[in-house]
Amino acid sequence: NAGVTQTPKFQVLKTGQSMTLQCAQDMNHNSMYWYRQDPGMGLRLIYYSASEGTTDKGEVPNGYNVSRLNKREFSLRLESAAPSQTSVYFCASRDRGRTEAFFGQGTRLTVV
Amino acid sequence: QKEVEQNSGPLSVPEGAIASLNCTYSDRGSQSFFWYRQYSGKSPELIMFIYSNGDKEDGRFTAQLNKASQYVSLLIRDSQPSDSATYLCAVVGSNAGGTSYGKLTFGQGTILTVHP
């Protein structure tokens, strides 16, 4: 049982390049989330999908887009990377109601 | 006002002492509250969850919830050096079918250091 799988684990981009971070969960969870984590800032919500077919903005959505491809997969796209997007990105999933979230191992992204 | 606020610390306690971590939230209708622990370079892992007013104990950990004050806390008794980590408070938004339904928001985390 893999849980939540994120790819890639590490990535270096040049300013202006685009890329997609992939996330897949095998727990049949309804909700999926993308966070970024910067030193001293905790986990800041970028986008989330409360259920298949819906996506909503979080606290810091600018510069990002998401796709809930199906119930298992939720991708995060950077169309034109900027150095301010250098961060560690976490994907998470959880089921309906009063349930905990499970996290992927994170993607460390550096934009130069 | 941030949706979930924590004292960022750092909080330093001696081994064997009680560590007290605090969190406030703005969504009065929130029903689910979580405490996660995160070691440096690792993913967050769940320590406790609490849904009802009052205390919930699990081993050395006690979570406390006061919905009237919109306040949730975590007590760690007999603190150990292995408890040194960042502790994250998380809240699930209410308003089923509305704008905050299913939204999981974290505080900025409190860095705890337990020194021998």
Side-chain angles (χ1 to χ4, degrees):
Chain A
N1 187 346
V4 180
T5 303
Q6 289 182 235
T7 55
K9 290 185 176 61
F10 301 93
Q11 183 71 49
V12 178
L13 288 179
K14 293 182 179 179
T15 297
Q17 286 185 317
S18 62
M19 79 161 295
T20 299
L21 280 64
Q22 306 286 353
C23 177
Q25 52 92 7
D26 61 3
M27 296 173 282
N28 201 36
H29 286 168
N30 288 289
S31 301
M32 298 186 73
Y33 306 83
W34 277 106
Y35 297 91
R36 61 177 289 174
Q37 187 170 38
D38 304 296
M41 301 294 287
L43 291 169
R44 292 189 291 171
L45 183 63
I46 305 172
Y47 272 93
Y48 68 106
S49 172
S51 60
E52 186 180 0
T54 68
T55 59
D56 287 286
K57 295 179 180 179
E59 181 185 354
V60 288
N62 291 343
Y64 305 95
N65 285 300
V66 291
S67 295
R68 183 75 184 266
L69 303 169
N70 47 54
K71 193 171 185 179
R72 291 186 62 249
E73 299 172 286
F74 189 40
S75 63
L76 178 71
R77 183 160 178 84
L78 287 70
E79 291 291 352
S80 179
S84 61
Q85 294 177 305
T86 293
S87 189
V88 179
Y89 291 84
F90 286 101
C91 176
S93 72
R94 57 186 289 273
D95 211 346
R96 291 184 195 277
R98 297 175 167 181
T99 60
E100 67 178 286
F102 294 84
F103 284 83
Q105 72 273 42
T107 296
R108 187 172 295 275
L109 175 67
T110 302
V111 183
V112 297
Chain B
Q1 180 189 7
K2 291 181 68 66
E3 293 181 41
V4 181
E5 295 205 56
Q6 297 180 246
N7 294 328
S8 58
L11 175 64
S12 181
V13 301
E15 184 174 357
I18 295 175
S20 177
L21 305 161
N22 304 314
C23 174
T24 58
Y25 59 95
S26 62
D27 182 354
R28 183 168 289 278
S30 296
Q31 298 291 325
S32 305
F33 307 88
F34 305 88
W35 282 100
Y36 283 80
R37 177 176 61 199
Q38 186 179 27
Y39 292 113
S40 181
K42 301 295 187 182
S43 302
E45 56 180 351
L46 183 74
I47 301 174
M48 298 267 311
F49 60 86
I50 187 167
Y51 307 133
S52 303
N53 276 329
D55 295 358
K56 179 182 179 182
E57 187 174 318
D58 183 1
R60 295 186 297 112
F61 299 95
T62 299
Q64 299 174 317
L65 175 61
N66 183 325
K67 290 185 179 180
S69 299
Q70 296 175 238
Y71 175 90
V72 59
S73 66
L74 179 70
L75 299 178
I76 307 174
R77 290 182 301 281
D78 189 24
S79 296
Q80 302 296 310
S82 58
D83 294 326
S84 297
T86 297
Y87 289 80
L88 298 159
C89 173
V91 178
V92 176
S94 60
N95 191 15
T99 56
S100 296
Y101 180 67
K103 184 179 183 181
L104 178 62
T105 303
F106 284 79
Q108 67 269 44
T110 298
I111 300 171
L112 172 66
T113 301
V114 181
H115 53 87

mmCIF file of all heavy atoms in Angstrom, chain A residues 43-86:
data_model
loop_
_atom_site.group_PDB
_atom_site.id
_atom_site.type_symbol
_atom_site.label_atom_id
_atom_site.label_comp_id
_atom_site.label_asym_id
_atom_site.label_seq_id
_atom_site.Cartn_x
_atom_site.Cartn_y
_atom_site.Cartn_z
ATOM 1 N N LEU A 43 2.661 25.046 6.674
ATOM 2 C CA LEU A 43 2.159 24.541 5.400
ATOM 3 C C LEU A 43 1.109 25.526 4.888
ATOM 4 O O LEU A 43 0.094 25.748 5.536
ATOM 5 C CB LEU A 43 1.520 23.159 5.581
ATOM 6 C CG LEU A 43 2.462 22.011 5.912
ATOM 7 C CD1 LEU A 43 1.672 20.784 6.325
ATOM 8 C CD2 LEU A 43 3.330 21.686 4.713
ATOM 9 N N ARG A 44 1.347 26.092 3.736
ATOM 10 C CA ARG A 44 0.386 27.023 3.154
ATOM 11 C C ARG A 44 -0.346 26.342 2.006
ATOM 12 O O ARG A 44 0.277 25.794 1.098
ATOM 13 C CB ARG A 44 1.089 28.299 2.683
ATOM 14 C CG ARG A 44 1.639 29.142 3.837
ATOM 15 C CD ARG A 44 2.127 30.484 3.354
ATOM 16 N NE ARG A 44 3.327 30.386 2.535
ATOM 17 C CZ ARG A 44 3.857 31.379 1.852
ATOM 18 N NH1 ARG A 44 3.271 32.566 1.852
ATOM 19 N NH2 ARG A 44 4.952 31.192 1.147
ATOM 20 N N LEU A 45 -1.664 26.415 2.050
ATOM 21 C CA LEU A 45 -2.509 25.723 1.078
ATOM 22 C C LEU A 45 -2.498 26.466 -0.244
ATOM 23 O O LEU A 45 -2.800 27.662 -0.311
ATOM 24 C CB LEU A 45 -3.933 25.610 1.641
ATOM 25 C CG LEU A 45 -4.951 24.860 0.806
ATOM 26 C CD1 LEU A 45 -4.544 23.393 0.641
ATOM 27 C CD2 LEU A 45 -6.333 24.961 1.447
ATOM 28 N N ILE A 46 -2.188 25.742 -1.321
ATOM 29 C CA ILE A 46 -2.159 26.335 -2.655
ATOM 30 C C ILE A 46 -3.530 26.137 -3.320
ATOM 31 O O ILE A 46 -4.205 27.089 -3.685
ATOM 32 C CB ILE A 46 -1.056 25.708 -3.524
ATOM 33 C CG1 ILE A 46 0.304 25.815 -2.835
ATOM 34 C CG2 ILE A 46 -1.006 26.377 -4.891
ATOM 35 C CD1 ILE A 46 1.411 25.039 -3.536
ATOM 36 N N TYR A 47 -3.912 24.889 -3.490
ATOM 37 C CA TYR A 47 -5.203 24.504 -4.039
ATOM 38 C C TYR A 47 -5.647 23.223 -3.349
ATOM 39 O O TYR A 47 -4.823 22.463 -2.844
ATOM 40 C CB TYR A 47 -5.108 24.211 -5.547
ATOM 41 C CG TYR A 47 -5.284 25.399 -6.462
ATOM 42 C CD1 TYR A 47 -4.165 26.114 -6.897
ATOM 43 C CD2 TYR A 47 -6.538 25.789 -6.910
ATOM 44 C CE1 TYR A 47 -4.312 27.196 -7.765
ATOM 45 C CE2 TYR A 47 -6.686 26.869 -7.776
ATOM 46 C CZ TYR A 47 -5.568 27.571 -8.189
ATOM 47 O OH TYR A 47 -5.719 28.635 -9.043
ATOM 48 N N TYR A 48 -6.943 22.998 -3.364
ATOM 49 C CA TYR A 48 -7.442 21.721 -2.890
ATOM 50 C C TYR A 48 -8.626 21.279 -3.731
ATOM 51 O O TYR A 48 -9.242 22.075 -4.452
ATOM 52 C CB TYR A 48 -7.806 21.784 -1.398
ATOM 53 C CG TYR A 48 -8.995 22.654 -1.052
ATOM 54 C CD1 TYR A 48 -10.222 22.094 -0.711
ATOM 55 C CD2 TYR A 48 -8.862 24.035 -1.002
ATOM 56 C CE1 TYR A 48 -11.298 22.886 -0.365
ATOM 57 C CE2 TYR A 48 -9.940 24.841 -0.668
ATOM 58 C CZ TYR A 48 -11.144 24.272 -0.333
ATOM 59 O OH TYR A 48 -12.209 25.066 0.011
ATOM 60 N N SER A 49 -8.909 19.987 -3.602
ATOM 61 C CA SER A 49 -10.027 19.385 -4.310
ATOM 62 C C SER A 49 -10.814 18.594 -3.282
ATOM 63 O O SER A 49 -10.376 17.528 -2.851
ATOM 64 C CB SER A 49 -9.517 18.477 -5.426
ATOM 65 O OG SER A 49 -10.578 17.760 -5.995
ATOM 66 N N ALA A 50 -11.949 19.145 -2.857
ATOM 67 C CA ALA A 50 -12.726 18.493 -1.805
ATOM 68 C C ALA A 50 -13.332 17.174 -2.293
ATOM 69 O O ALA A 50 -13.557 16.260 -1.499
ATOM 70 C CB ALA A 50 -13.809 19.425 -1.284
ATOM 71 N N SER A 51 -13.599 17.092 -3.571
ATOM 72 C CA SER A 51 -14.111 15.853 -4.146
ATOM 73 C C SER A 51 -13.763 15.841 -5.624
ATOM 74 O O SER A 51 -13.430 16.880 -6.209
ATOM 75 C CB SER A 51 -15.621 15.741 -3.940
ATOM 76 O OG SER A 51 -16.282 16.823 -4.569
ATOM 77 N N GLU A 52 -13.834 14.658 -6.211
ATOM 78 C CA GLU A 52 -13.519 14.538 -7.635
ATOM 79 C C GLU A 52 -14.411 15.485 -8.433
ATOM 80 O O GLU A 52 -15.610 15.554 -8.220
ATOM 81 C CB GLU A 52 -13.753 13.090 -8.078
ATOM 82 C CG GLU A 52 -13.330 12.806 -9.492
ATOM 83 C CD GLU A 52 -13.576 11.352 -9.875
ATOM 84 O OE1 GLU A 52 -14.078 10.584 -9.030
ATOM 85 O OE2 GLU A 52 -13.270 10.985 -11.027
ATOM 86 N N GLY A 53 -13.791 16.251 -9.322
ATOM 87 C CA GLY A 53 -14.555 17.168 -10.160
ATOM 88 C C GLY A 53 -14.600 18.587 -9.655
ATOM 89 O O GLY A 53 -15.128 19.482 -10.334
ATOM 90 N N THR A 54 -14.058 18.840 -8.446
ATOM 91 C CA THR A 54 -14.042 20.200 -7.906
ATOM 92 C C THR A 54 -12.624 20.586 -7.500
ATOM 93 O O THR A 54 -11.859 19.742 -7.029
ATOM 94 C CB THR A 54 -14.934 20.336 -6.661
ATOM 95 O OG1 THR A 54 -14.360 19.594 -5.585
ATOM 96 C CG2 THR A 54 -16.332 19.823 -6.928
ATOM 97 N N THR A 55 -12.294 21.845 -7.705
ATOM 98 C CA THR A 55 -11.036 22.393 -7.197
ATOM 99 C C THR A 55 -11.309 23.794 -6.665
ATOM 100 O O THR A 55 -12.178 24.502 -7.190
ATOM 101 C CB THR A 55 -9.939 22.463 -8.275
ATOM 102 O OG1 THR A 55 -10.388 23.285 -9.352
ATOM 103 C CG2 THR A 55 -9.592 21.076 -8.800
ATOM 104 N N ASP A 56 -10.565 24.175 -5.634
ATOM 105 C CA ASP A 56 -10.733 25.485 -5.029
ATOM 106 C C ASP A 56 -9.387 26.070 -4.672
ATOM 107 O O ASP A 56 -8.445 25.335 -4.351
ATOM 108 C CB ASP A 56 -11.599 25.397 -3.765
ATOM 109 C CG ASP A 56 -13.050 25.174 -4.083
ATOM 110 O OD1 ASP A 56 -13.698 26.139 -4.538
ATOM 111 O OD2 ASP A 56 -13.523 24.040 -3.888
ATOM 112 N N LYS A 57 -9.318 27.386 -4.697
ATOM 113 C CA LYS A 57 -8.095 28.077 -4.328
ATOM 114 C C LYS A 57 -7.897 28.034 -2.810
ATOM 115 O O LYS A 57 -8.843 28.077 -2.043
ATOM 116 C CB LYS A 57 -8.155 29.535 -4.779
ATOM 117 C CG LYS A 57 -8.189 29.714 -6.287
ATOM 118 C CD LYS A 57 -8.262 31.180 -6.656
ATOM 119 C CE LYS A 57 -8.299 31.348 -8.166
ATOM 120 N NZ LYS A 57 -8.391 32.783 -8.558
ATOM 121 N N GLY A 58 -6.624 27.980 -2.447
ATOM 122 C CA GLY A 58 -6.265 28.090 -1.049
ATOM 123 C C GLY A 58 -5.715 29.467 -0.749
ATOM 124 O O GLY A 58 -6.126 30.466 -1.340
ATOM 125 N N GLU A 59 -4.728 29.503 0.113
ATOM 126 C CA GLU A 59 -4.156 30.764 0.585
ATOM 127 C C GLU A 59 -3.213 31.413 -0.434
ATOM 128 O O GLU A 59 -3.151 32.635 -0.551
ATOM 129 C CB GLU A 59 -3.391 30.499 1.886
ATOM 130 C CG GLU A 59 -2.749 31.704 2.532
ATOM 131 C CD GLU A 59 -1.925 31.306 3.748
ATOM 132 O OE1 GLU A 59 -1.957 30.118 4.139
ATOM 133 O OE2 GLU A 59 -1.246 32.194 4.301
ATOM 134 N N VAL A 60 -2.480 30.595 -1.207
ATOM 135 C CA VAL A 60 -1.436 31.124 -2.098
ATOM 136 C C VAL A 60 -1.535 30.516 -3.490
ATOM 137 O O VAL A 60 -0.625 29.835 -3.962
ATOM 138 C CB VAL A 60 -0.026 30.905 -1.494
ATOM 139 C CG1 VAL A 60 0.218 31.821 -0.322
ATOM 140 C CG2 VAL A 60 0.162 29.438 -1.090
ATOM 141 N N PRO A 61 -2.614 30.748 -4.244
ATOM 142 C CA PRO A 61 -2.812 30.097 -5.541
ATOM 143 C C PRO A 61 -2.108 30.756 -6.729
ATOM 144 O O PRO A 61 -1.975 30.120 -7.785
ATOM 145 C CB PRO A 61 -4.323 30.190 -5.722
ATOM 146 C CG PRO A 61 -4.686 31.485 -5.040
ATOM 147 C CD PRO A 61 -3.758 31.562 -3.839
ATOM 148 N N ASN A 62 -1.671 32.001 -6.572
ATOM 149 C CA ASN A 62 -1.128 32.730 -7.724
ATOM 150 C C ASN A 62 0.124 32.057 -8.270
ATOM 151 O O ASN A 62 1.051 31.736 -7.534
ATOM 152 C CB ASN A 62 -0.817 34.173 -7.332
ATOM 153 C CG ASN A 62 -2.075 34.977 -7.054
ATOM 154 O OD1 ASN A 62 -3.167 34.568 -7.444
ATOM 155 N ND2 ASN A 62 -1.924 36.093 -6.380
ATOM 156 N N GLY A 63 0.147 31.863 -9.597
ATOM 157 C CA GLY A 63 1.278 31.248 -10.264
ATOM 158 C C GLY A 63 1.149 29.741 -10.424
ATOM 159 O O GLY A 63 2.052 29.106 -10.970
ATOM 160 N N TYR A 64 0.032 29.187 -9.950
ATOM 161 C CA TYR A 64 -0.187 27.746 -9.998
ATOM 162 C C TYR A 64 -1.542 27.422 -10.639
ATOM 163 O O TYR A 64 -2.472 28.211 -10.566
ATOM 164 C CB TYR A 64 -0.184 27.137 -8.586
ATOM 165 C CG TYR A 64 1.038 27.427 -7.775
ATOM 166 C CD1 TYR A 64 1.057 28.508 -6.889
ATOM 167 C CD2 TYR A 64 2.174 26.629 -7.866
ATOM 168 C CE1 TYR A 64 2.175 28.785 -6.117
ATOM 169 C CE2 TYR A 64 3.295 26.893 -7.099
ATOM 170 C CZ TYR A 64 3.286 27.975 -6.229
ATOM 171 O OH TYR A 64 4.401 28.244 -5.472
ATOM 172 N N ASN A 65 -1.599 26.235 -11.224
ATOM 173 C CA ASN A 65 -2.868 25.672 -11.665
ATOM 174 C C ASN A 65 -2.909 24.212 -11.248
ATOM 175 O O ASN A 65 -1.860 23.587 -11.056
ATOM 176 C CB ASN A 65 -3.021 25.767 -13.190
ATOM 177 C CG ASN A 65 -3.340 27.182 -13.629
ATOM 178 O OD1 ASN A 65 -4.350 27.756 -13.240
ATOM 179 N ND2 ASN A 65 -2.459 27.761 -14.423
ATOM 180 N N VAL A 66 -4.121 23.681 -11.116
ATOM 181 C CA VAL A 66 -4.254 22.282 -10.722
ATOM 182 C C VAL A 66 -5.238 21.570 -11.629
ATOM 183 O O VAL A 66 -6.072 22.199 -12.287
ATOM 184 C CB VAL A 66 -4.721 22.139 -9.251
ATOM 185 C CG1 VAL A 66 -3.649 22.585 -8.282
ATOM 186 C CG2 VAL A 66 -6.030 22.885 -9.026
ATOM 187 N N SER A 67 -5.111 20.253 -11.619
ATOM 188 C CA SER A 67 -6.064 19.396 -12.332
ATOM 189 C C SER A 67 -6.359 18.186 -11.469
ATOM 190 O O SER A 67 -5.423 17.495 -11.048
ATOM 191 C CB SER A 67 -5.484 18.936 -13.674
ATOM 192 O OG SER A 67 -5.283 20.012 -14.545
ATOM 193 N N ARG A 68 -7.639 17.959 -11.200
ATOM 194 C CA ARG A 68 -8.028 16.699 -10.541
ATOM 195 C C ARG A 68 -8.384 15.758 -11.682
ATOM 196 O O ARG A 68 -9.498 15.741 -12.194
ATOM 197 C CB ARG A 68 -9.225 16.923 -9.608
ATOM 198 C CG ARG A 68 -9.629 15.667 -8.829
ATOM 199 C CD ARG A 68 -8.678 15.368 -7.727
ATOM 200 N NE ARG A 68 -8.974 14.146 -7.016
ATOM 201 C CZ ARG A 68 -9.698 14.069 -5.894
ATOM 202 N NH1 ARG A 68 -10.223 15.172 -5.361
ATOM 203 N NH2 ARG A 68 -9.899 12.928 -5.316
ATOM 204 N N LEU A 69 -7.422 14.953 -12.071
ATOM 205 C CA LEU A 69 -7.532 14.131 -13.268
ATOM 206 C C LEU A 69 -8.567 13.029 -13.090
ATOM 207 O O LEU A 69 -9.301 12.675 -14.025
ATOM 208 C CB LEU A 69 -6.170 13.532 -13.593
ATOM 209 C CG LEU A 69 -5.056 14.588 -13.773
ATOM 210 C CD1 LEU A 69 -3.686 13.907 -13.829
ATOM 211 C CD2 LEU A 69 -5.298 15.408 -15.030
ATOM 212 N N ASN A 70 -8.636 12.477 -11.917
ATOM 213 C CA ASN A 70 -9.601 11.434 -11.537
ATOM 214 C C ASN A 70 -9.558 11.366 -10.017
ATOM 215 O O ASN A 70 -8.919 12.218 -9.370
ATOM 216 C CB ASN A 70 -9.243 10.091 -12.189
ATOM 217 C CG ASN A 70 -7.772 9.752 -12.029
ATOM 218 O OD1 ASN A 70 -7.269 9.740 -10.907
ATOM 219 N ND2 ASN A 70 -7.080 9.518 -13.140
ATOM 220 N N LYS A 71 -10.180 10.387 -9.418
ATOM 221 C CA LYS A 71 -10.222 10.346 -7.969
ATOM 222 C C LYS A 71 -8.826 10.136 -7.376
ATOM 223 O O LYS A 71 -8.513 10.602 -6.301
ATOM 224 C CB LYS A 71 -11.168 9.246 -7.486
ATOM 225 C CG LYS A 71 -11.500 9.360 -6.015
ATOM 226 C CD LYS A 71 -12.600 8.399 -5.614
ATOM 227 C CE LYS A 71 -12.995 8.635 -4.169
ATOM 228 N NZ LYS A 71 -14.081 7.730 -3.735
ATOM 229 N N ARG A 72 -7.944 9.455 -8.086
ATOM 230 C CA ARG A 72 -6.625 9.120 -7.566
ATOM 231 C C ARG A 72 -5.603 10.235 -7.732
ATOM 232 O O ARG A 72 -4.678 10.336 -6.930
ATOM 233 C CB ARG A 72 -6.075 7.886 -8.298
ATOM 234 C CG ARG A 72 -6.762 6.584 -8.013
ATOM 235 C CD ARG A 72 -6.001 5.434 -8.688
ATOM 236 N NE ARG A 72 -4.639 5.300 -8.175
ATOM 237 C CZ ARG A 72 -3.539 5.576 -8.872
ATOM 238 N NH1 ARG A 72 -3.620 6.046 -10.105
ATOM 239 N NH2 ARG A 72 -2.344 5.396 -8.344
ATOM 240 N N GLU A 73 -5.718 11.046 -8.780
ATOM 241 C CA GLU A 73 -4.612 11.908 -9.175
ATOM 242 C C GLU A 73 -4.960 13.395 -9.116
ATOM 243 O O GLU A 73 -6.042 13.816 -9.557
ATOM 244 C CB GLU A 73 -4.169 11.545 -10.593
ATOM 245 C CG GLU A 73 -3.671 10.121 -10.714
ATOM 246 C CD GLU A 73 -3.424 9.755 -12.162
ATOM 247 O OE1 GLU A 73 -4.401 9.545 -12.907
ATOM 248 O OE2 GLU A 73 -2.238 9.699 -12.541
ATOM 249 N N PHE A 74 -4.009 14.175 -8.614
ATOM 250 C CA PHE A 74 -4.194 15.619 -8.470
ATOM 251 C C PHE A 74 -2.858 16.261 -8.795
ATOM 252 O O PHE A 74 -1.901 16.104 -8.042
ATOM 253 C CB PHE A 74 -4.629 15.929 -7.035
ATOM 254 C CG PHE A 74 -5.054 17.340 -6.773
ATOM 255 C CD1 PHE A 74 -5.805 18.048 -7.688
ATOM 256 C CD2 PHE A 74 -4.727 17.947 -5.567
ATOM 257 C CE1 PHE A 74 -6.222 19.344 -7.417
ATOM 258 C CE2 PHE A 74 -5.139 19.241 -5.285
ATOM 259 C CZ PHE A 74 -5.886 19.945 -6.210
ATOM 260 N N SER A 75 -2.772 16.966 -9.914
ATOM 261 C CA SER A 75 -1.493 17.522 -10.348
ATOM 262 C C SER A 75 -1.439 19.022 -10.126
ATOM 263 O O SER A 75 -2.459 19.711 -10.125
ATOM 264 C CB SER A 75 -1.243 17.196 -11.828
ATOM 265 O OG SER A 75 -2.235 17.808 -12.635
ATOM 266 N N LEU A 76 -0.227 19.528 -9.946
ATOM 267 C CA LEU A 76 0.029 20.951 -9.731
ATOM 268 C C LEU A 76 0.963 21.441 -10.823
ATOM 269 O O LEU A 76 2.033 20.878 -11.017
ATOM 270 C CB LEU A 76 0.678 21.170 -8.362
ATOM 271 C CG LEU A 76 1.050 22.606 -8.003
ATOM 272 C CD1 LEU A 76 -0.212 23.424 -7.728
ATOM 273 C CD2 LEU A 76 1.976 22.626 -6.780
ATOM 274 N N ARG A 77 0.564 22.484 -11.525
ATOM 275 C CA ARG A 77 1.363 22.988 -12.643
ATOM 276 C C ARG A 77 1.862 24.403 -12.374
ATOM 277 O O ARG A 77 1.079 25.272 -11.934
ATOM 278 C CB ARG A 77 0.565 22.960 -13.937
ATOM 279 C CG ARG A 77 1.398 23.411 -15.155
ATOM 280 C CD ARG A 77 0.805 22.949 -16.455
ATOM 281 N NE ARG A 77 1.578 23.416 -17.590
ATOM 282 C CZ ARG A 77 2.674 22.796 -18.055
ATOM 283 N NH1 ARG A 77 3.122 21.694 -17.484
ATOM 284 N NH2 ARG A 77 3.318 23.291 -19.108
ATOM 285 N N LEU A 78 3.146 24.576 -12.662
ATOM 286 C CA LEU A 78 3.754 25.904 -12.653
ATOM 287 C C LEU A 78 3.959 26.287 -14.111
ATOM 288 O O LEU A 78 4.726 25.647 -14.826
ATOM 289 C CB LEU A 78 5.100 25.906 -11.932
ATOM 290 C CG LEU A 78 5.111 25.775 -10.409
ATOM 291 C CD1 LEU A 78 4.703 24.382 -9.955
ATOM 292 C CD2 LEU A 78 6.490 26.131 -9.866
ATOM 293 N N GLU A 79 3.255 27.287 -14.584
ATOM 294 C CA GLU A 79 3.311 27.657 -16.005
ATOM 295 C C GLU A 79 4.594 28.401 -16.352
ATOM 296 O O GLU A 79 5.172 28.215 -17.404
ATOM 297 C CB GLU A 79 2.104 28.505 -16.379
ATOM 298 C CG GLU A 79 0.782 27.755 -16.366
ATOM 299 C CD GLU A 79 0.682 26.728 -17.499
ATOM 300 O OE1 GLU A 79 1.560 26.692 -18.387
ATOM 301 O OE2 GLU A 79 -0.290 25.943 -17.487
ATOM 302 N N SER A 80 5.032 29.271 -15.473
ATOM 303 C CA SER A 80 6.236 30.069 -15.701
ATOM 304 C C SER A 80 6.910 30.261 -14.343
ATOM 305 O O SER A 80 6.573 31.172 -13.592
ATOM 306 C CB SER A 80 5.875 31.421 -16.328
ATOM 307 O OG SER A 80 7.045 32.205 -16.520
ATOM 308 N N ALA A 81 7.838 29.357 -14.049
ATOM 309 C CA ALA A 81 8.423 29.318 -12.709
ATOM 310 C C ALA A 81 9.182 30.605 -12.372
ATOM 311 O O ALA A 81 9.852 31.201 -13.236
ATOM 312 C CB ALA A 81 9.349 28.122 -12.588
ATOM 313 N N ALA A 82 9.075 30.990 -11.108
ATOM 314 C CA ALA A 82 9.776 32.162 -10.580
ATOM 315 C C ALA A 82 10.577 31.751 -9.354
ATOM 316 O O ALA A 82 10.204 30.791 -8.661
ATOM 317 C CB ALA A 82 8.769 33.245 -10.210
ATOM 318 N N PRO A 83 11.671 32.456 -9.058
ATOM 319 C CA PRO A 83 12.466 32.109 -7.869
ATOM 320 C C PRO A 83 11.642 32.091 -6.584
ATOM 321 O O PRO A 83 11.960 31.311 -5.668
ATOM 322 C CB PRO A 83 13.525 33.215 -7.837
ATOM 323 C CG PRO A 83 13.705 33.589 -9.275
ATOM 324 C CD PRO A 83 12.332 33.500 -9.871
ATOM 325 N N SER A 84 10.570 32.889 -6.504
ATOM 326 C CA SER A 84 9.716 32.900 -5.310
ATOM 327 C C SER A 84 8.964 31.584 -5.121
ATOM 328 O O SER A 84 8.385 31.353 -4.050
ATOM 329 C CB SER A 84 8.708 34.053 -5.395
ATOM 330 O OG SER A 84 7.878 33.897 -6.536
ATOM 331 N N GLN A 85 8.964 30.738 -6.140
ATOM 332 C CA GLN A 85 8.301 29.444 -6.034
ATOM 333 C C GLN A 85 9.251 28.339 -5.566
ATOM 334 O O GLN A 85 8.855 27.169 -5.478
ATOM 335 C CB GLN A 85 7.644 29.072 -7.369
ATOM 336 C CG GLN A 85 6.497 30.012 -7.717
ATOM 337 C CD GLN A 85 5.868 29.714 -9.063
ATOM 338 O OE1 GLN A 85 6.558 29.669 -10.094
ATOM 339 N NE2 GLN A 85 4.569 29.516 -9.076
ATOM 340 N N THR A 86 10.473 28.702 -5.258
ATOM 341 C CA THR A 86 11.398 27.763 -4.630
ATOM 342 C C THR A 86 10.835 27.384 -3.271
ATOM 343 O O THR A 86 10.582 28.251 -2.428
ATOM 344 C CB THR A 86 12.786 28.405 -4.471
ATOM 345 O OG1 THR A 86 13.359 28.614 -5.761
ATOM 346 C CG2 THR A 86 13.708 27.515 -3.646
#
